[in-house]
Amino acid sequence: MALPILPNAAARRLFLDRHGLLGAPRRRGTGALLDDLGFVQVDSVLTLARAHDLILWSRSPAHRPADLGAEVRGRRAFEHWTHDAAVIPMAFWPHWRHRFERDRARLDARWDAWQGPGFRAEIDRTLAHVAANGPTLSGELARGPRVPPGWWNWHPGKVALEYLWRVGELSVSHRQGFQKAYDLTERVVPEAVRAARPDLEETVGWAAGAALDRLGFATPGEVAAFWDLLTPEEAQAWARGALARGEVEEVAVEGADGRLRRSLARPGVREEAAALPEPSDRLRLLSPFDPALRDRARAERLWGFRYRIEIYVPASRRVFGYYVFPLLEGTRLVGRAEVVAMGGAVVLRALWPEPGLRWGKGRTDRLLAELERVAALAGAGRVECAPGWLRPPQVAP
């Protein structure tokens, strides 16, 4: 029997609505946005605004950089891992208990070999230091010769802090600048939250259902990857049970190329998508790590938009720029732009329209209006355009 089809236009509209990007941005509290999205990825790159701030600002123009930190300091949110480092509503913390135990088993097998025989003693010393001294920055535990900066080029105290954080014994109390301050979990996570101990079956049901509700439609693999709390096997087993109970149904989601992909959705999702309002015509500058785009394969299927970040690509080999921002117009991804904040200005260095799309004055005006708005987030007073900023369309690598 043929599956009911969710057309591509309806799938885009539904997906953007679930991600708070279909209608015009409106003033929302940071906590409410976190609940809606499920989490916000935290990233250190700063060319215009931090990724997490741009994600929240894209949905609520009143957002400012201090707001997310206030959620963590206020114990309304916590920092840990989904597919990457993220800020997550505190109410979800009990479901991370299973992540902590799985991470412990994985890290015990790998990090002992990485760090050598003194690693366990370093963990004990680090835990004792935090217990006695409270919130601790990694630099406070550095000993011996200075370690050159770099990914994973950590001194032993930093490794121990990260291990204890990953396994749930420490939590991020707050950030100082962009450095994490670690404290005992019992002093960070409220007692009522720590008291909850869902079993694995409860966590699987919650994680799968909450992922599907935020995605609108998904394969079991996409459900598992959303929080990165479940194994593919757990997601598959949940899907079989949810289908048998009538909690979900199968639909064929049409991609940008017309191909159909078997997916799960809540009953009535096609009717819900058909009833959604017309999208805002605002042109939006999105973070490369926006929840609507972080699954690059899914974004490519839905929009035909291929995005690969080129931070680690040598400058001579980049097709676009070091850090470029996707541009959303209505339900279309229409281009990508290299934009930086420097010298008190937001500077449009380059823009590449998508192949086959004409970039005219109307789109330029809407883009400049968006850059005027984002200048407030970036702390800039004006917008400038570099000579030759409008580039010919390029095929993404």
Side-chain angles (χ1 to χ4, degrees), residues 111-351:
W111 285 23
D112 279 352
W114 172 32
Q115 290 295 299
F119 184 44
R120 291 292 141 184
E122 187 68 43
I123 289 173
D124 291 342
R125 283 194 297 270
T126 298
L127 192 58
H129 175 94
V130 176
N133 296 280
T136 300
L137 304 175
S138 66
E140 297 171 31
L141 301 181
R143 300 187 304 274
R146 183 177 177 83
V147 177
W151 291 110
W152 300 100
N153 196 16
W154 294 341
H155 60 76
K158 169 66 172 176
V159 177
L161 287 169
E162 285 288 310
Y163 172 89
L164 290 163
W165 175 53
R166 297 285 187 93
V167 304
E169 293 187 49
L170 298 182
S171 293
V172 175
S173 168
H174 62 278
R175 283 190 181 248
Q176 186 170 307
F178 204 71
Q179 296 183 72
K180 294 194 289 281
Y182 306 80
D183 202 356
L184 298 180
T185 291
E186 65 198 57
R187 296 198 290 234
V188 175
V189 178
E191 183 177 0
V193 176
R194 287 185 284 111
R197 293 183 174 273
D199 61 26
L200 181 58
E201 183 178 358
E202 289 176 274
T203 288
V204 169
W206 172 83
L212 184 60
D213 290 339
R214 287 166 174 81
L215 291 169
F217 51 87
T219 65
E222 290 169 337
V223 165
F226 183 84
W227 307 103
D228 199 22
L229 290 178
L230 309 181
T231 66
E233 294 75 21
E234 288 166 345
Q236 289 281 1
W238 172 84
R240 290 191 295 269
L243 282 166
R245 295 187 296 270
E247 296 170 1
V248 301
E249 62 184 15
E250 289 190 310
V251 296
V253 179
E254 183 185 29
D257 60 1
R259 286 189 284 187
L260 301 178
R261 184 176 178 85
R262 182 185 293 263
S263 298
L264 303 170
R266 297 294 190 187
V269 74
R270 292 187 304 144
E271 293 77 11
E272 178 190 348
L276 289 170
E278 289 297 312
S280 166
D281 63 356
R282 174 172 175 158
L283 201 151
R284 301 177 194 251
L285 189 82
L286 297 182
S287 164
F289 302 110
D290 194 281
L293 298 170
R294 71 167 185 86
D295 185 335
R296 309 295 192 213
R298 183 181 175 98
E300 190 167 351
R301 284 194 301 271
L302 272 182
W303 282 287
F305 184 83
R306 183 174 176 82
Y307 184 92
R308 299 293 183 270
I309 200 158
E310 296 184 286
I311 289 175
Y312 305 110
V313 177
S316 62
R317 292 169 49 197
R318 290 178 192 144
V319 175
F320 301 106
Y322 172 81
Y323 194 86
V324 300
F325 299 88
L327 301 174
L328 176 70
E329 181 184 63
T331 62
R332 299 176 67 189
L333 287 163
V334 296
R336 60 199 85 199
E338 185 175 21
V339 183
V340 299
M342 55 187 298
V346 165
V347 181
L348 174 61
R349 285 181 169 172
L351 182 144

Side-chain angles (χ1 to χ4, degrees), residues 80-83 88 92 95-100 102 200 203-204 206-208 223-231 234:
H80 214 268
W81 282 77
T82 54
H83 67 291
I88 307 158
F92 301 169
H95 293 295
W96 261 251
R97 288 185 179 278
H98 301 289
R99 172 74 180 251
F100 299 152
R102 288 174 174 176
L200 181 58
T203 288
V204 169
W206 172 83
V223 165
F226 183 84
W227 307 103
D228 199 22
L229 290 178
L230 309 181
T231 66
E234 288 166 345

Side-chain angles (χ1 to χ4, degrees), residues 28-38 56 71 89:
R28 299 285 309 283
T30 302
L33 283 172
L34 275 178
D35 286 340
D36 289 349
L37 295 174
L56 295 167
E71 292 297 303

